[in-house]
Amino acid sequence: MKFDDLKLSDPILRSLKDQDYKEPTPIQAEVIPAILNKSDIMAAAQTGTGKTAAFVLPTLSILSNPKNNYKGHQLRALILTPTRELAAQVRESVNTYSKYLSIRSTAVYGGARIHNQKLKLKKGVDVLVATPGRLLDLYNQKSVNFKNIEILVLDEADQMLDMGFIHDIKKIASLLPERRQNLMFTATFSNSFRSLAKEMADKAIEVSVTSDNETGENIEHYVHPVDKSRKAELLIELIETQNWDQALVFTRTKHGADRLQKQLDRVEIKSQAIHGNKTQNNRMKALDAFKNNRIKILVATDVAARGIDIKKMSQVINFDVPTVAKDYIHRIGRTGRAGDKGKAITLVSADEFRLLRDIEKLLNQKLERIEIEGFEPEHVIPLKEKPPKKKFNNKAGFRKRKRSRKG
C-alpha cells in the first residue's frame, strides 16, 4: 500500500513526497481510512511507529476539505499531549504536513510565556496542540473558544493518566461540543485508558499494532553487569571506546540526570540533561542541540523524554534500570526504527536484579550479559532468581527439642 491509496488530499500528498515518505506504517494504514470515515478511534502504538502522522494527516485532510464547510482559522481540532516537548514536536509535524494548506496551528504549554500564547490564539488557529493544565488556564482566562471543535485527539493518553491529568481531560472534554470525533492514542490498553475511552466514545474502533511486551526486531539487547559506584565510569568507557556519535541515556531521577551530566562534562563529553525541573527554554534548547548533533549525549528522565522522536538513534542506554518493566519498552522504542539497526544497553548493578528480572519476564527472554573487562562487578548478576530456602516448621512433622532444665 502507498499513501496515494489512502485518499488523503493532494496538498498533503505533496508534503509527504517532500519528506520522501511513500508507504504508510501499519498503524497509519489501519487508522487513516477510519479517521477519514469520521469514526472514533482508540489505538495502541509504541513510540516510533508513526502514530503522530497517523492522526495528523487525516485530521488536516478533513479540516481542509471544502466539502466539510471550511472556516478559516477557527479552532476545529484540539490535540492534547502530556508534556511540553511532545506538544512542540506534534505541532512541528502539523506544520510539516500542512505546508501546502492554508491552515494555522500553534502549541500551548506551561513553562512558556502565556501572554505570547494568547496573542497567537487571538490571531486565529485551526489546530491547537496543548498540555491539559495550560489549556485550562487559557480557557479560564477566556483566551480560547471550543465551540467549533470537531476533532479531539488524546496523544500518549496512558502517560497523561499516569501523570494525573484524568480530571483535567474530563473537564476539557465536558467543555467541547458533544458531536465531535474522538481519536485516542496510547502505548498500552491499560484498564484506566479503556475506562476513559469508553466514557468518551463508547463505540470507538479499536486498533492495536503492538503488544505490551513487543520490541523492535532490529534492536539488540545487552546487559552490562557493573557495581553501582562505577556506572558513570563504565558509561564513559563505552562512549569513548565504541565511537558512539550520539546516545540517549535514561536515569531514574532528576538529580541523577544532573549528576551524570556533570560527570560527562568533566571528561569533555558534550551532554545536556532534560527533566521536569529544567525550564521549558532549557529543555527545548537541549533537544535542538541533540537533534542537530551539537552534543553527543542527552541524559533524560522517563517523563521528560516521552515522545522524543530522533531519527537515526543507534543506541539507547539505561543508566538506571526502570522501576516499571513497561518503561523499558518505551525507552528503547527510540532506536532501531525505520529499518535501521539499534542497540538497547542496560547497566545493571546487583541491587537492580529484580527489576531486570521483571523486564525479562515481560519480554519473555533472557537478555545477554556481557561483562566489560576492568569493570567486573563485585557481586555477580545471576541469570535467574534463586529459589527461597526451605524452612522447616512444626506443622511439617518436626518436633521441637525440649531444653533440659537442671533441677
Side-chain angles (χ1 to χ4, degrees), residues 116-305:
N116 294 339
Q117 294 174 353
K118 286 181 178 179
L119 291 177
K120 289 178 181 178
L121 289 170
K122 192 172 183 180
K123 292 178 181 178
V125 296
D126 303 273
V127 181
L128 178 61
V129 188
T131 52
R134 176 51 60 93
L135 181 63
L136 285 174
D137 287 343
L138 289 162
Y139 176 80
N140 291 332
Q141 295 179 37
K142 295 182 169 50
S143 296
V144 62
N145 190 325
F146 295 140
K147 69 178 182 180
N148 293 313
I149 294 287
E150 299 172 26
I151 300 172
L152 170 65
V153 181
L154 302 185
D155 189 17
E156 302 279 8
D158 57 328
Q159 181 72 359
M160 283 196 279
L161 296 177
D162 288 345
M163 294 171 66
F165 286 133
I166 180 65
H167 298 298
D168 288 349
I169 292 171
K170 288 184 176 181
K171 173 65 175 177
I172 291 166
S174 72
L175 299 171
L176 306 182
E178 287 189 19
R179 295 187 63 181
R180 64 176 188 270
Q181 191 173 5
N182 299 286
L183 312 177
M184 297 163 285
F185 287 77
T186 180
T188 57
F189 282 142
S190 64
N191 291 335
S192 56
F193 170 76
R194 285 187 179 279
S195 177
L196 176 65
K198 186 176 180 61
E199 190 174 327
M200 294 183 65
D202 190 33
K203 296 181 180 179
I205 295 173
E206 184 173 319
V207 178
S208 178
V209 295
T210 184
S211 61
D212 288 353
N213 67 343
E214 183 178 303
T215 63
E217 294 178 359
N218 297 325
I219 300 176
E220 297 175 350
H221 305 258
Y222 298 108
V223 167
H224 293 320
V226 62
D227 290 333
K228 186 178 288 290
S229 62
R230 301 194 69 194
K231 277 193 175 187
E233 190 182 346
L234 175 55
L235 177 63
I236 292 166
E237 173 78 5
L238 293 172
I239 294 169
E240 293 179 341
T241 60
Q242 298 193 13
N243 299 316
W244 293 343
D245 292 325
Q246 284 192 310
L248 177 59
V249 180
F250 283 95
T251 63
R252 195 175 298 137
T253 66
K254 303 168 190 175
H255 176 68
D258 286 335
R259 183 173 61 243
L260 179 57
Q261 190 228 324
K262 290 175 182 176
Q263 290 171 305
L264 294 173
D265 284 349
R266 286 193 200 107
V267 294
E268 298 183 349
I269 294 175
K270 291 184 178 180
S271 64
Q272 288 290 338
I274 60 170
H275 52 68
N277 286 353
K278 296 281 187 180
T279 66
Q280 176 61 21
N281 189 43
N282 284 340
R283 290 163 73 171
M284 297 305 291
K285 281 183 177 179
L287 275 174
D288 184 67
F290 191 62
K291 286 183 177 181
N292 291 288
N293 296 301
R294 294 195 299 274
I295 60 173
K296 185 184 287 264
I297 305 296
L298 184 66
V299 186
T301 56
D302 289 290
V303 172

Side-chain angles (χ1 to χ4, degrees), residues 286-347:
L287 275 174
D288 184 67
F290 191 62
K291 286 183 177 181
N292 291 288
N293 296 301
R294 294 195 299 274
I295 60 173
K296 185 184 287 264
I297 305 296
L298 184 66
V299 186
T301 56
D302 289 290
V303 172
R306 189 75 173 202
I308 289 178
D309 185 6
I310 300 167
K311 296 173 182 176
K312 303 293 182 183
M313 178 62 62
S314 298
Q315 52 270 316
V316 169
I317 317 301
N318 295 297
F319 186 82
D320 296 316
V321 183
T323 53
V324 179
K326 287 181 183 178
D327 286 343
Y328 180 86
I329 308 292
H330 299 319
R331 288 180 179 187
I332 70 170
R334 293 165 176 83
T335 187
R337 299 163 70 164
D340 293 329
K341 294 287 186 182
K343 292 181 181 179
I345 298 171
T346 305
L347 310 185

